[in-house]
Amino acid sequence: MERKYEKYARRDFFTGHTKEDFVRWQSDMKTLLTKLLGFDKMEQTSLHPVTEEITMQPGGIRREHVRILVEPDVWMPMYLLIPADAGPATRPFLCPPGHGGAGKYTVSGVTGYELVNQSIEKYQYDYGMQLAKLGYVAVCPDCRGFGERRELISDTEDPALAMKGDCYWLAHMGEPLGIPVAGMLTWDLMRAVDYLEERSEWDVSRVSCLGFSGGGMQTLWLAALDPRIRLTVISGYMYGFRDSLLAMNRNCSCNYVPHLWEHLDMGDIASLIAPRPMLIQSCSGDRLNGARGLFNVFEQMDIIKNAYALFGRQEALIHEICPGPHSWHGERLQENLDELIKNEE
């Protein structure tokens, strides 16, 4: 399969030389990727938002438990973390969850559950709460198959099962219909942006997205395909498909989009985000980097850097390399955001 990858993969990478060439290629690739994700089979509906509960968290942060309708009969629960002084000038962040964190619970910093506490400590997983403490509105959704959206509600009665997701089941249902899991998750996040626009309490001209691991995957797809995402932070999810998803083929089903590898690599998808400000965070000891480690990451970063250079926007792209294994690092979050915000157009 590795030999076949070398023969058939990445046939549609950018081969032009100018910004104008790149803009045309961007448009063509967005059309292609939208088709590969099965968006033509997703169904529009009104959001019908329902507020389930409002609680106050330490530091005056209001936590709203809200659910919205993303497709007919398909609800997405979310926690919104809203700082006390949030207003029309406040930037909202979408904070999609990755694996091993029970969906929105770790991202929003829900404590009191042993396994959730352990996940937060291991991965610094509460990045939604970290953003709220910095003064941003954080929208922390349950993606399909996680948290309240487990396929079997009985699984939530078992703490270990409740921490996991149902991507495998979702892939087996969706892919034969041309709807990969990545398409479902990206669609739902776009509906969350619709909700922010409809609610219109915060600065919807500066909607941003931050995600770690599987949340980084969702952030990558969302920002690549939705220009409403004005600032992007991807952590623990930037490496070449060959090393990290083909050779390491036991990764989760949500990573795999039929026919994708024939067309593009991960850096090509990320380059569609150019020239909007973006932080990509990699850990030097992350096993997901593959056997070649950071060299696999650097190859993808070179693709992205070339795209930003065409726009003369090199300063809008930051690559932060952190020590240790697979983890989110929020130690320099405010400094990095300040730098990215300074370079918004």
Side-chain angles (χ1 to χ4, degrees):
M1 293 307 296
E2 289 178 338
R3 290 196 301 271
K4 290 180 186 294
Y5 186 92
E6 295 301 323
K7 183 175 182 179
Y8 296 112
R10 202 181 172 227
R11 294 179 300 187
D12 290 319
F13 67 92
F14 177 64
T15 58
H17 302 284
T18 67
K19 181 175 74 172
E20 291 71 26
D21 292 336
F22 187 82
V23 169
R24 285 191 292 271
W25 176 84
Q26 268 185 321
S27 177
D28 291 343
M29 291 305 100
K30 287 180 181 180
T31 300
L32 168 68
L33 294 179
T34 298
K35 182 174 179 59
L36 293 182
L37 290 185
F39 276 19
D40 58 322
K41 301 179 181 70
M42 306 305 284
E43 301 174 69
Q44 281 282 1
T45 183
S46 298
L47 294 169
H48 297 290
V50 176
T51 300
E52 303 279 5
E53 181 186 47
I54 298 176
T55 59
M56 294 306 298
Q57 305 301 305
I61 294 170
R62 186 170 81 252
R63 187 179 75 199
E64 296 184 0
H65 186 183
V66 176
R67 58 185 169 96
I68 61 172
L69 204 58
V70 292
E71 288 193 273
D73 303 317
V74 183
W75 292 92
M76 180 166 70
M78 307 180 290
Y79 279 145
L80 275 70
L81 305 178
I82 305 168
D85 59 352
T90 302
R91 179 189 300 267
F93 267 88
L94 298 181
C95 301
H99 300 87
K104 65 183 179 298
Y105 297 99
T106 44
V107 174
S108 56
V110 174
T111 57
Y113 301 91
E114 181 180 358
L115 292 178
V116 173
N117 293 346
Q118 291 173 3
S119 185
I120 291 173
E121 182 177 359
K122 180 177 181 180
Y123 298 113
Q124 298 190 47
Y125 223 139
D126 58 343
Y127 45 85
M129 180 57 76
Q130 293 174 33
L131 283 165
K133 289 179 178 178
L134 292 177
Y136 303 100
V137 170
V139 180
C140 309
D142 272 335
C143 55
R144 298 194 196 201
F146 287 81
E148 295 181 72
R149 303 180 79 183
R150 293 302 308 268
E151 288 297 301
L152 289 178
I153 194 65
S154 59
D155 286 350
T156 62
E157 298 169 7
D158 181 314
L161 282 176
M163 296 293 288
K164 297 180 180 179
D166 290 329
C167 299
Y168 183 78
W169 290 14
L170 292 168
H172 277 205
M173 290 185 287
E175 286 183 9
L177 290 169
I179 311 171
V181 177
M184 303 178 200
L185 307 187
T186 306
W187 174 270
D188 289 358
L189 289 176
M190 289 179 172
R191 299 297 282 146
V193 180
D194 294 341
Y195 170 73
L196 288 171
E197 290 183 334
E198 185 175 293
R199 183 160 172 171
S200 194
E201 291 184 29
W202 309 294
D203 189 352
V204 293
S205 71
R206 299 196 297 162
V207 176
S208 304
C209 193
L210 184 157
F212 160 69
S213 193
M217 178 201 75
Q218 295 178 66
T219 300
L220 168 69
W221 280 109
L222 176 67
L225 296 178
D226 194 333
R228 295 176 296 176
I229 303 304
R230 303 308 303 164
L231 185 152
T232 304
V233 181
I234 299 171
S235 174
Y237 200 84
M238 184 50 60
Y239 29 70
F241 290 141
R242 185 185 186 277
D243 286 13
S244 295
L245 293 178
L246 190 157
M248 299 171 65
N249 51 50
R250 293 188 180 184
N251 277 308
C252 183
S253 302
C254 61
N255 293 281
Y256 297 89
V257 175
H259 297 287
L260 174 61
W261 297 352
E262 298 170 52
H263 300 283
L264 301 172
D265 210 330
M266 195 179 294
D268 300 309
I269 300 171
S271 72
L272 301 179
I273 301 169
R276 289 166 283 158
M278 176 163 59
L279 164 66
I280 294 174
Q281 189 182 88
S282 305
C283 284
S284 58
D286 191 338
R287 69 171 187 84
L288 295 179
N289 295 337
R292 294 186 299 130
L294 286 174
F295 288 105
N296 188 33
V297 176
F298 293 150
E299 288 173 354
Q300 303 307 306
M301 287 304 306
D302 285 344
I303 297 169
I304 304 166
K305 289 176 181 177
N306 288 339
Y308 277 79
L310 285 173
F311 288 94
R313 296 275 290 152
Q314 295 92 324
E315 72 284 352
L317 175 66
I318 299 173
H319 186 207
E320 181 180 33
I321 301 174
C322 303
H326 191 60
S327 182
W328 157 252
H329 282 265
E331 297 89 345
R332 288 181 43 82
L333 179 56
Q334 186 62 73
E335 293 90 332
N336 285 327
L337 290 178
D338 287 344
E339 185 66 23
L340 293 177
I341 291 169
K342 182 176 70 175
N343 286 299
E344 279 186 303
E345 289 185 322

